[in-house]
Amino acid sequence: MKNSTTNNTTVAVIGAGAAGLMASYAAAQAGAQVLLFESNEKIGRTIMITGKGRCNVTNNCDRDTFLSNVPQNPRFLYSALDAFGVQDTRHFFEAQGVPLKTERGNRVFPQSDRSVDIVDALYHAMHRAGVVIKHTPVTGIVRDEASGAVCGVTAGGRTHRADRVIIATGGKSYPLTGSTGDGYRFAQETGHTVTPLRPSLIPLVCSGTDCPRMQGLSLKNVTLTVFENNKKLFEGFGEMLFTHFGISGPLVLSASSHMRKWDKAEYRAEIDLKPALDRQTLDKRILSDFADKQNADFRNALSALLPRKMIPIVIEHAEIDPHTKVNSITKKQRGKLLAALKQFPLTITGTRPIEEAIVTSGGVSVRQVSPKTMESKQVPGLYFAGEVLDLDAYTGGFNLQIAWSTGWLAGRSAAEK
């Protein structure tokens, strides 16, 4: 059922990801006639894959904490978070019949652990508000020759008239979901600056053969520390995974969002495999394990301490002959073993391709966009929302909240202008 406060404003929204869906709903709720263009057969494909299919909807924290998790242009978000903040997001989805829960790190998920419930809630909310969805890719923005203001979009070989246009096409990551970077092209064609695009929240590539030899091994309850030019940049506790190219998993994705100087910095990492034990306590644990295997080869004495795949590699880093009898291992050798366990080294050489990133860092310059409305300062009637903007945050629900907030503000502003 269409909103009863319909006005004569037509808003075209490009992209049915998180920002585009919220922008469409907000604009329709404010009375605009909304056309939502999406090249995929299904809406919300990027939402479906977030949080390993569970959808980390937002982060249940205050505004200052939220902004401290946005390394790129956080001040730009003040108005958007005031207009539609974390609690607004929670209230919105719960009002649509999706109960939420808060987990470790204040991460908010649907109680069902199903991303599809979030997408369905948005779809039904838009449907009730009267949003018309067109599964047709937009090929260009149409502008009035005299004023320069937008007046529609081209899609499906024809022009669709619109008083306002909202670009919410996402970044360049995950092209299979439809995020092919068209929004950046639209921005540049309308005279906007697009800052350099980099992958964020992405697996890391490591040199050497250690990682390929441990491919598929998942580590839990470890501490990962990343150094930038030998200065500590990131430290986190959690899970990670070895792959054929390097390392991945939640800890690694979080670390990657801090690594922004690939052109002028060197990165390395250390893994503390036993963060709950200090060196002295861990040494006692090792001695206890050794006491039960006095006459065994060293390579056979670490099964209670390490995963099987990791044992030969840790032994190499400890520089101990694997056939050495346990009862002949010296204190100095134990010291090298301790170093390998508490500071397992990795040399990081880069990231996987941007297409594999969860988030694209960089985008439409926020200097050319009004933070109070999300409208372009250069092209009247053109708005931006979500990842297409030069905004990105750490993992934990912050990036989706940016999409909800900027989408809501863009939609409401476009409808009410």
Side-chain angles (χ1 to χ4, degrees):
M1 183 176 70
K2 186 141 178 68
N3 192 292
S4 58
T5 58
T6 303
N7 60 36
N8 293 321
T9 302
T10 300
V11 176
V13 180
I14 310 172
L21 294 175
M22 187 60 81
S24 298
Y25 170 77
Q29 275 293 100
Q33 301 173 55
V34 179
L35 298 176
L36 171 58
F37 292 87
E38 171 55 52
S39 57
N40 288 312
E41 291 182 8
K42 295 182 178 180
I43 64 170
R45 289 189 66 180
T46 51
I47 300 173
M48 293 292 287
I49 60 175
T50 61
K52 296 181 179 178
R54 297 172 60 215
C55 191
N56 187 180
V57 179
T58 187
N59 192 283
N60 192 15
C61 63
D62 60 38
R63 190 180 71 173
D64 288 345
T65 301
F66 188 98
L67 293 173
S68 71
N69 282 275
V70 183
Q72 196 75 350
N73 301 315
R75 292 174 62 85
F76 179 80
L77 288 169
Y78 278 119
S79 294
L81 287 170
D82 281 347
F84 196 84
V86 170
Q87 299 311 317
D88 297 305
T89 296
R90 295 181 66 199
H91 294 154
F92 170 80
F93 285 109
E94 294 194 324
Q96 306 305 318
V98 183
L100 303 176
K101 60 182 177 179
T102 301
E103 297 186 359
R104 180 175 58 85
N106 291 323
R107 298 168 188 238
V108 178
F109 294 88
Q111 287 185 14
S112 64
D113 286 329
R114 287 162 35 98
S115 294
V116 68
D117 291 348
I118 297 297
V119 177
D120 285 348
L122 285 161
Y123 172 79
H124 291 303
M126 290 193 308
H127 180 71
R128 288 191 296 270
V131 175
V132 175
I133 303 174
K134 293 184 175 294
H135 293 281
T136 308
V138 170
T139 54
I141 309 294
V142 182
R143 299 169 67 184
D144 181 80
E145 290 185 9
S147 67
V150 298
C151 57
V153 299
T154 53
R158 69 186 188 90
T159 296
H160 300 262
R161 190 195 71 78
D163 302 297
R164 322 271 186 264
V165 173
I166 301 173
I167 297 176
T169 49
K172 283 196 72 174
S173 54
Y174 288 122
L176 293 178
T177 65
S179 298
T180 55
D182 281 348
Y184 304 125
R185 176 172 63 84
F186 298 149
Q188 289 173 324
E189 288 174 352
T190 51
H192 296 82
T193 299
V194 175
T195 63
L197 305 177
R198 305 182 306 274
S200 186
L201 301 182
I202 189 167
L204 300 172
V205 178
C206 299
S207 62
T209 62
D210 286 352
C211 294
R213 288 166 65 193
M214 294 185 286
Q215 179 180 349
L217 175 61
S218 178
L219 299 178
K220 296 183 178 181
N221 302 321
V222 298
T223 296
L224 177 70
T225 305
V226 173
F227 297 87
E228 182 180 82
N229 293 335
N230 289 319
K231 183 179 180 181
K232 185 189 289 188
L233 175 70
F234 169 87
E235 183 176 272
F237 174 83
E239 300 180 27
M240 61 177 291
L241 172 73
F242 291 107
T243 71
H244 66 284
F245 57 77
I247 51 177
S248 186
L251 259 185
V252 174
L253 299 182
S254 294
S256 73
S257 62
H258 295 254
M259 303 163 74
R260 297 170 174 269
K261 300 178 181 178
W262 292 103
D263 55 337
K264 54 187 176 183
E266 292 184 354
Y267 293 102
R268 63 180 180 86
E270 292 177 355
I271 308 171
D272 186 344
L273 298 164
K274 300 293 176 183
L277 305 176
D278 60 28
R279 287 193 178 227
Q280 186 177 4
T281 306
L282 181 55
D283 192 29
K284 290 179 181 177
R285 159 75 188 277
I286 292 169
L287 287 171
S288 175
D289 287 354
F290 283 2
D292 296 332
K293 299 183 178 182
Q294 285 289 318
N295 297 314
D297 286 352
F298 177 51
R299 64 178 183 174
N300 296 323
L302 299 176
S303 58
L305 202 62
L306 289 167
R308 179 179 54 82
K309 271 189 176 181
M310 204 167 193
I311 289 174
I313 295 162
V314 167
I315 288 175
E316 289 172 13
H317 282 276
E319 299 178 331
I320 301 172
D321 186 331
H323 299 287
T324 303
K325 295 300 179 184
V326 168
N327 57 19
S328 65
I329 290 178
T330 65
K331 183 177 181 180
K332 183 177 180 180
Q333 288 175 314
R334 286 204 323 276
K336 287 195 170 184
L337 174 60
L338 282 168
L341 293 171
K342 297 292 286 182
Q343 296 172 288
F344 186 87
L346 295 167
T347 299
I348 301 168
T349 57
T351 71
R352 292 293 286 172
I354 192 169
E355 290 79 11
E356 296 180 27
I358 293 176
V359 171
T360 303
S361 179
V364 177
S365 173
V366 297
R367 294 183 179 181
Q368 298 171 344
V369 178
S370 166
K372 294 184 177 180
T373 62
M374 298 294 130
E375 185 177 15
S376 166
K377 293 178 180 178
Q378 301 179 213
V379 179
L382 184 61
Y383 296 75
F384 297 94
E387 196 180 343
V388 72
L389 288 161
D390 185 13
L391 298 165
D392 66 279
Y394 303 140
T395 185
F398 301 102
N399 287 291
L400 263 185
Q401 182 60 52
I402 290 174
W404 308 134
S405 295
T406 57
W408 172 274
L409 184 56
R412 185 53 61 100
S413 301
E416 292 181 344
K417 181 177 178 182

